[in-house]
Coordinates of all heavy atoms in Angstrom, one line a residue:
P78 N -8.8 -54.5 -31.8 CA -9.4 -53.5 -32.6 C -8.7 -53.1 -33.9 O -9.2 -52.3 -34.7 CB -9.6 -52.3 -31.7 CG -8.3 -52.4 -30.8 CD -8.1 -53.9 -30.6
A79 N -7.4 -53.5 -34.1 CA -6.8 -53.2 -35.3 C -7.2 -53.9 -36.6 O -7.9 -55.0 -36.4 CB -5.2 -53.5 -35.1
Q80 N -7.0 -53.3 -37.7 CA -7.4 -53.9 -38.9 C -6.1 -54.2 -39.7 O -5.2 -53.4 -39.7 CB -8.3 -53.0 -39.8 CG -9.6 -52.7 -39.1 CD -10.6 -53.8 -38.9 OE1 -10.5 -54.9 -39.7 NE2 -11.4 -53.7 -37.9
A81 N -6.1 -55.3 -40.5 CA -4.8 -55.7 -41.2 C -5.2 -56.2 -42.7 O -6.2 -56.7 -42.8 CB -4.1 -56.8 -40.6
M82 N -4.3 -55.8 -43.5 CA -4.4 -56.3 -45.0 C -3.0 -56.8 -45.3 O -2.0 -56.1 -45.0 CB -4.8 -55.1 -45.9 CG -6.4 -54.8 -45.7 SD -6.9 -53.6 -46.9 CE -8.6 -53.4 -46.5
V83 N -2.9 -57.7 -46.3 CA -1.7 -58.4 -46.7 C -1.8 -58.4 -48.2 O -2.7 -59.0 -48.8 CB -1.4 -59.6 -46.1 CG1 0.0 -60.2 -46.6 CG2 -1.4 -59.7 -44.6
Y84 N -0.7 -57.8 -48.9 CA -0.7 -57.8 -50.3 C 0.6 -58.5 -50.7 O 1.7 -58.4 -50.1 CB -0.5 -56.2 -50.8 CG -1.8 -55.5 -50.5 CD1 -1.9 -54.8 -49.2 CD2 -2.8 -55.4 -51.3 CE1 -2.9 -54.0 -49.0 CE2 -4.0 -54.6 -51.1 CZ -4.0 -53.9 -49.9 OH -5.0 -53.1 -49.5
R85 N 0.5 -59.1 -52.0 CA 1.6 -59.9 -52.5 C 2.4 -58.8 -53.5 O 1.8 -58.2 -54.2 CB 1.2 -61.1 -53.3 CG 2.5 -61.9 -53.7 CD 1.9 -63.1 -54.6 NE 1.0 -64.0 -53.8 CZ 1.4 -65.0 -53.0 NH1 2.7 -65.3 -53.0 NH2 0.5 -65.7 -52.4
L86 N 3.7 -58.9 -53.4 CA 4.6 -58.0 -54.1 C 5.3 -58.8 -55.2 O 5.9 -59.8 -54.9 CB 5.6 -57.2 -53.2 CG 6.5 -56.3 -53.9 CD1 5.8 -55.2 -54.6 CD2 7.6 -55.7 -52.9
N87 N 5.3 -58.3 -56.4 CA 6.1 -58.8 -57.5 C 7.4 -58.1 -57.5 O 7.6 -57.0 -57.8 CB 5.4 -58.7 -58.9 CG 6.1 -59.5 -60.0 OD1 7.4 -59.6 -59.9 ND2 5.4 -59.9 -60.9
L88 N 8.5 -59.0 -57.0 CA 9.8 -58.3 -56.9 C 10.5 -57.9 -58.1 O 11.3 -57.0 -58.1 CB 10.7 -59.3 -56.1 CG 10.2 -59.8 -54.8 CD1 11.2 -60.8 -54.3 CD2 10.1 -58.7 -53.9
T89 N 10.0 -58.4 -59.4 CA 10.5 -58.0 -60.6 C 9.9 -56.8 -61.2 O 10.5 -55.7 -61.5 CB 10.3 -59.2 -61.6 OG1 10.9 -60.4 -61.2 CG2 10.9 -58.8 -62.9
T90 N 8.5 -56.7 -61.1 CA 7.9 -55.5 -61.6 C 7.7 -54.4 -60.5 O 7.2 -53.4 -60.8 CB 6.5 -55.9 -62.2 OG1 5.7 -56.4 -61.3 CG2 6.7 -56.9 -63.3
R91 N 7.9 -54.8 -59.3 CA 7.6 -53.9 -58.1 C 6.1 -53.5 -58.0 O 5.8 -52.4 -57.5 CB 8.5 -52.7 -58.1 CG 10.0 -52.9 -58.4 CD 10.6 -53.8 -57.3 NE 10.5 -53.3 -56.0 CZ 10.9 -53.8 -55.0 NH1 11.5 -55.0 -55.0 NH2 10.9 -53.2 -53.7
K92 N 5.3 -54.4 -58.5 CA 3.9 -54.1 -58.4 C 3.2 -55.1 -57.3 O 3.7 -56.1 -57.1 CB 3.1 -54.3 -59.7 CG 3.5 -53.4 -60.8 CD 2.8 -53.6 -62.1 CE 3.1 -52.6 -63.2 NZ 2.3 -52.8 -64.4
Y93 N 2.2 -54.4 -56.6 CA 1.6 -55.3 -55.6 C 0.2 -55.7 -56.1 O -0.4 -55.0 -56.9 CB 1.5 -54.6 -54.2 CG 0.7 -53.3 -54.4 CD1 -0.6 -53.1 -54.2 CD2 1.5 -52.1 -54.6 CE1 -1.2 -51.9 -54.4 CE2 0.8 -50.9 -54.7 CZ -0.6 -50.8 -54.5 OH -1.2 -49.6 -54.7
S94 N -0.3 -56.7 -55.5 CA -1.6 -57.2 -55.9 C -2.8 -56.3 -55.5 O -2.8 -55.7 -54.5 CB -1.9 -58.6 -55.3 OG -1.9 -58.5 -53.9
E95 N -3.6 -56.1 -56.4 CA -4.8 -55.1 -56.1 C -5.7 -55.7 -55.0 O -6.3 -54.9 -54.3 CB -5.6 -54.9 -57.4 CG -4.7 -54.1 -58.5 CD -5.6 -53.8 -59.6 OE1 -6.8 -54.1 -59.6 OE2 -5.0 -53.1 -60.6
I96 N -5.8 -57.0 -55.1 CA -6.7 -57.6 -54.0 C -5.8 -58.2 -52.9 O -4.9 -59.0 -53.3 CB -7.5 -58.8 -54.5 CG1 -8.5 -58.2 -55.9 CG2 -8.5 -59.5 -53.6 CD1 -9.2 -59.2 -56.5
P97 N -6.1 -57.9 -51.7 CA -5.2 -58.5 -50.6 C -5.3 -60.0 -50.6 O -6.4 -60.6 -50.8 CB -5.9 -57.9 -49.3 CG -6.6 -56.6 -49.8 CD -7.1 -57.0 -51.1

Side-chain angles (χ1 to χ4, degrees):
Q80 303 292 336
M82 289 185 179
V83 181
Y84 298 87
R85 188 184 297 273
L86 176 64
N87 189 326
L88 298 177
T89 303
T90 62
R91 309 303 298 181
K92 292 183 178 180
Y93 57 88
S94 59
E95 294 182 1
I96 301 174

